[in-house]
Amino acid sequence: MTPPTSLHDAAPACGALPFARTDIAVIGGGIVGMSVAGFLAHEGCEVVVLDAAIAGGSTANAGSLHVQMQSRFMRLFPHRVAGMERQLPLYPEAVRFWRDFEATTGGHFELKISGGLMVAETPQQLDFLVTKSRRERELGLSTEILGRDDLRRLAPWLGPQIVGAELCADEGKLNPLKCNAAVRAWACRAGTTVVEPCAVRAVEPDGAGYVLHTARGPLRARRVVVAAGAGARALMEGQGVSLPVDPEPLQMTITEAAPPYISHLVQHAERSITLKQLANGQVVIGGGWPARLDAGATQPVVEFGSLAGNLALAQALVPSLAPLQVIRTWAGINAKVDGRGVLGEMPGRPRLYAAIPGDAGYTLGPLSARIVADIVLGREPGVDLAPYATDRFEAAGVA
């Protein structure tokens, strides 16, 4: 089979799959799935991407590139902080990888590594940042604490109640809409076939490979990469493999354009928020405010209380946002594991691979995809895979 290069030639809007077999099937068409498909296709592999076309983490992403540990994660999942610390060195490497990846794809992501500020409004919050920064430096990150005066010179647009901040110069931002489109086009130029919407309902062994039962009929593949985010759990459970990836419905908001003045990615030491300004002047506000995902639903919906709370906090931190009009708010599903990614061949399932980044999965997406692509190709990925072991849940007895 010679895969088509057009984004829309892969399959009709509905009906059966136009082919029955492929070498490599990638389940999930977000930043991870499209990236791993692109890497493999550019190596001459025959690759089909099956995407359910729901609001996953990539399509709903706010475009933050994280490096320092997020206070939100530490507060909500304290038992997972140790796991996140094991993966922490991968974050600055992932941001560096983004620079090369933009050039590789030939896209323009509006990538800007201008630093991130995690701000404090009380002495207690600043003490937390001091302790966090000390630990991050022990783990190899480059961070520093700024007092009120230094912060005023660096970010005069912050509210007067901010008493200090932690600065991580390696953090940044990009435009996810432009990035997603560019990565998809790059993968398809190499021959990747994309079929959507096409939900995969089950994966079963089939001789030397697997059969994927999809909404459009069966597809047989010699190798399978599962990059389906929170949807990976059910697929792996069908194989008798534990992969506790849970859905986390979150929402984001974007404003009308304003003159550029917010230069950094902004977070808070205690409260949930991310805030950054895109190249066109629009301000994207997110950071973990919950959306609603009803039982049995695949699409999350926006909660008004989260919208109001998120905007109120953003305005308190950056008062000059007050006059701006909100033009859109949306919800998506983040995938959370245990603070670390799950990367590599699944235990007892040869040629079945997981490609699930850890927290801040968009940041880690392309680098995680490169690692998994190397594993699929039988190459040494150049990264210690022990923190991302696919069998760690079985060893821990996780259900």
Side-chain angles (χ1 to χ4, degrees), residues 233-246:
R233 180 170 193 154
L235 291 174
M236 291 301 186
E237 283 179 346
Q239 284 291 298
V241 178
S242 177
L243 184 55
V245 187
D246 294 322

Side-chain angles (χ1 to χ4, degrees), residues 5-282:
T5 57
S6 168
L7 296 183
H8 302 291
D9 288 346
C14 58
L17 291 169
F19 39 76
R21 296 181 180 273
T22 186
D23 180 16
I24 302 174
V26 177
I27 305 174
I31 188 63
V32 180
M34 290 308 307
S35 296
V36 73
F39 289 132
L40 293 170
H42 278 273
E43 294 282 349
C45 298
E46 179 187 68
V47 187
V48 173
V49 174
L50 304 174
D51 187 60
I54 63 174
S58 296
T59 56
N61 192 266
S64 303
L65 296 181
H66 294 282
V67 173
Q68 63 178 302
M69 289 191 288
Q70 297 179 68
S71 61
R72 172 185 175 273
F73 183 93
M74 300 173 72
R75 184 179 69 253
L76 294 178
F77 311 110
H79 57 293
R80 296 176 176 174
V81 171
M84 186 179 187
E85 286 187 350
R86 292 195 65 188
Q87 183 164 268
L88 198 60
L90 202 63
Y91 284 83
E93 185 176 345
V95 173
R96 289 190 292 270
F97 192 86
W98 269 106
R99 294 181 184 272
D100 295 335
F101 191 52
E102 184 177 36
T104 296
T105 64
H108 178 51
F109 303 165
E110 298 179 7
L111 176 66
K112 189 173 183 181
I113 310 303
S114 52
L117 292 169
M118 186 171 288
V119 302
E121 297 181 273
T122 68
Q124 293 77 17
Q125 292 171 2
L126 189 57
D127 288 344
F128 163 78
L129 293 179
V130 170
T131 301
K132 183 171 82 77
S133 177
R134 183 182 304 119
R135 177 59 176 159
E136 288 166 337
R137 291 196 300 273
E138 291 174 354
L139 295 169
L141 297 192
S142 176
T143 64
E144 61 179 303
I145 297 297
L146 303 179
R148 188 192 302 268
D149 293 340
D150 289 337
L151 192 57
R152 292 291 178 269
R153 288 190 289 270
L154 183 67
W157 34 268
L158 286 170
Q161 81 282 15
I162 307 299
V163 299
E166 180 182 6
L167 170 64
C168 181
D170 294 328
E171 292 189 312
K173 54 191 176 181
L174 55 75
N175 186 323
L177 295 180
K178 290 188 175 182
C179 174
N180 293 343
V183 172
R184 179 171 171 142
W186 164 75
C188 288
R189 286 196 300 272
T192 297
T193 300
V194 181
V195 184
E196 64 178 359
C198 186
V200 178
R201 296 166 176 163
V203 179
E204 294 181 356
D206 180 52
Y210 294 87
V211 58
L212 283 65
H213 298 282
T214 84
R216 299 188 182 196
L219 174 68
R220 285 172 170 80
R222 192 167 69 89
R223 294 172 283 183
V224 177
V225 178
V226 179
R233 180 170 193 154
L235 291 174
M236 291 301 186
E237 283 179 346
Q239 284 291 298
V241 178
S242 177
L243 184 55
V245 187
D246 294 322
E248 184 182 27
L250 304 175
Q251 60 191 64
M252 283 67 64
T253 299
I254 192 167
T255 73
E256 63 181 328
Y261 65 97
I262 301 174
S263 51
H264 295 79
L265 168 65
V266 180
Q267 300 179 81
H268 195 280
E270 189 174 277
R271 305 178 66 187
S272 297
I273 192 160
T274 59
L275 187 155
K276 87 282 296 177
Q277 191 169 26
L278 300 178
N280 66 359
Q282 293 178 302

